[in-house]
Amino acid sequence: MRKYGCSEEELFSFLSSVKGRDLGYNKVLSSMCTLPHPVAVKAHNLFIESNLGDPGLFSGSMSLENLLVERLGTLMHHPAAGGYGTSGGTESNLQALRIAKSLKKTSSPNIVVPASAHFSFDKACDILSLEMRTVPYDEGYRMDSGQIEDKIDKNTICLVGIAGTTEYGVVDPISHLSDLAEERDIYLHVDAAFGGLVLPFIENSPVFDFRLPGVSSISIDPHKMGLSTIPSGCLLVKDENMFRELGVDTPYLTVNREYTLHGTRCGAAVAAAVSVIEYLGTEGFSSIISECMANTQRLISGMERLGYPLVVQPDVNVAAFECEINLPGWVISRTRAGHMRIVPMPHVTRDIIETFLTEIGEANV
Ligand SMILES: *Cc1c(COP(=O)(O)O)cnc(C)c1O
């Protein structure tokens, strides 16, 4: 640390030059995050000092968190769902597995996940000492229904399905998982970190939420398609009492029990998340999602015309292609199987897609 602080001018000229090295989102085609909505930024700034880790001090912020849970619970067809604002899908998934582990005590617990599971499950299994059993893909890159039961045994504490996979944008056979969860009395966690704020706004999309009776909990990330500021995730549970499994005594706070993972928590991002929801409403979300889906379809038809086949028709705005090209200047990722993966987020406008298609078409010849 320097002995005497620098001037504000020096500081901010340093910060601006460093920020210039961040890519921004302009030519980023692989991120599940995007530019936050202006109302999210405004709300975030308004609640900048809010600490939800000590909710007695911030009862206004806490009421916003309750509203967020109520809104997302209602969107998931269960207005009475319990929940809290997490730092993102990783924390939500970890916390869901902690609940599942606590609800079913066995000496060598395992969980059954699809091959497409996000790497947050690797972290969670490491932290919680869980064995991860992976169900292979079917031909549509979804969890193969026919192979799930083989992986389940008496030590299975949790089944996991993904609603909007990170790599291929598809939804696992969650209603089948729900049947299995009910029959075998196993916790079912649905990772809708990405799809949770996309699928409800698409007509005839697969059912993945609390309408399925076996679903115990759901992860949804407002900092992805919810256009909120980072870090905003949300974990929803079917019954608020499930959080009792995680309670610890917190003697010197304004509340005496805490079930969250983080202690000090960002109230600003919760305010941002709920603000976007209030500001846009279902109509606003529907129009943003339908534009992203139309852009996804335009990308797909453009790529196919250039001779790069789509791997699987996605359920959300993620598309993977058989295409080996690495186009300079663009940020594009690859799936574990090596497919080109593009996420048409709101910052990926129609113009950007047209430019990309033109450039990739020229790279072809
Ligand atoms: C993004 C994502 C995660 C991880 O969320 P973070 O917010 O990055 O912690 C988990 N699961 C799925 C399906 C995701 O898309």
Side-chain angles (χ1 to χ4, degrees):
M1 204 184 279
R2 26 171 127 213
K3 183 159 185 206
Y4 299 106
C6 63
S7 70
E8 188 172 328
E9 195 187 348
E10 188 189 339
L11 176 65
F12 279 89
S13 108
F14 164 68
L15 292 178
S16 312
S17 73
V18 168
K19 188 158 193 234
R21 299 212 302 269
D22 288 355
L23 281 182
Y25 279 104
N26 242 344
K27 289 182 131 187
V28 175
L29 303 185
S30 60
S31 180
M32 288 190 146
C33 289
T34 191
L35 289 166
H37 193 286
V39 303
V41 177
K42 225 167 151 177
H44 191 108
N45 288 332
L46 190 60
F47 283 83
I48 197 72
E49 76 278 29
S50 161
N51 170 22
L52 283 169
D54 208 352
L57 301 180
F58 296 96
S59 56
S61 303
M62 190 176 62
S63 72
L64 290 180
E65 181 167 43
N66 294 339
L67 182 60
L68 176 69
V69 169
E70 188 190 319
R71 291 287 190 255
L72 292 179
T74 305
L75 194 64
M76 298 295 110
H77 297 91
H78 185 38
Y84 80 94
T86 65
S87 57
T90 301
E91 179 184 345
S92 303
N93 291 341
L94 173 66
Q95 289 286 82
L97 293 184
R98 283 183 71 206
I99 296 172
K101 187 181 178 189
S102 167
L103 286 171
K104 183 166 173 181
K105 306 265 187 316
T106 89
S107 53
S108 49
N110 68 68
I111 66 168
V112 174
V113 306
S116 60
H118 183 268
F119 50 80
S120 49
F121 288 99
D122 296 290
K123 299 180 190 176
C125 285
D126 180 39
I127 293 168
L128 301 174
S129 301
L130 302 173
E131 180 200 342
M132 188 160 84
R133 297 188 174 176
T134 304
V135 178
Y137 295 126
D138 63 14
E139 66 287 347
Y141 287 85
R142 292 171 176 88
M143 192 178 199
D144 187 345
S145 297
Q147 298 194 56
I148 300 171
E149 279 208 87
D150 301 345
K151 304 279 179 189
I152 299 174
D153 65 16
K154 64 180 195 324
N155 293 321
T156 302
I157 59 150
C158 185
L159 306 176
V160 174
I162 319 272
T165 59
T166 317
E167 294 188 322
Y168 296 95
V170 294
V171 179
D172 283 323
I174 298 185
S175 85
H176 180 67
L177 282 168
S178 168
D179 292 344
L180 285 174
E182 280 206 298
E183 267 164 40
R184 313 278 291 250
D185 192 24
I186 303 174
Y187 191 105
L188 170 57
H189 176 63
V190 176
D191 182 358
F194 188 79
L197 281 164
V198 180
L199 294 160
F201 307 107
I202 297 176
E203 263 177 55
N204 303 319
S205 57
V207 175
F208 67 95
D209 61 17
F210 290 116
R211 277 172 287 181
L212 302 172
V215 172
S216 310
S217 56
I218 303 178
S219 306
I220 304 182
D221 278 358
H223 65 204
K224 291 177 176 167
M225 286 300 289
L227 310 180
S228 185
T229 52
I230 297 168
S232 40
C234 188
L235 173 63
L236 295 173
V237 294
K238 184 176 200 155
D239 175 357
E240 191 171 24
N241 292 323
M242 288 157 65
F243 280 125
R244 286 202 194 140
E245 302 298 320
L246 305 183
V248 293
D249 291 331
T250 52
Y252 41 79
L253 297 183
T254 51
V255 286
N256 43 28
R257 296 284 290 168
E258 181 177 283
Y259 52 81
T260 54
L261 182 64
H262 294 210
T264 302
R265 290 193 298 128
C266 182
V270 166
V274 81
S275 296
V276 179
I277 289 170
E278 294 307 282
Y279 184 77
L280 291 178
T282 53
E283 282 299 311
F285 267 102
S286 297
S287 93
I288 289 169
I289 303 306
S290 67
E291 199 168 319
C292 289
M293 292 307 289
N295 286 342
T296 305
Q297 284 313 321
R298 166 65 192 130
L299 175 72
I300 292 170
S301 65
M303 287 294 278
E304 293 202 311
R305 216 177 36 198
L306 292 168
Y308 303 117
L310 177 71
V311 177
V312 56
Q313 185 64 44
D315 297 311
V316 297
N317 47 323
V318 175
F321 299 96
E322 288 171 33
C323 178
E324 303 287 321
I325 295 178
N326 286 313
L327 207 55
W330 295 86
V331 184
I332 302 163
S333 63
R334 297 216 165 254
T335 67
R336 282 168 275 197
H339 296 123
M340 175 188 276
R341 165 184 174 270
I342 295 180
V343 190
M345 293 296 289
H347 67 268
V348 181
T349 59
R350 179 62 67 103
D351 282 352
I352 291 178
I353 288 188
E354 297 302 343
T355 309
F356 173 77
L357 287 170
T358 307
E359 287 188 28
I360 205 154
E362 285 161 1
N364 191 19
V365 275

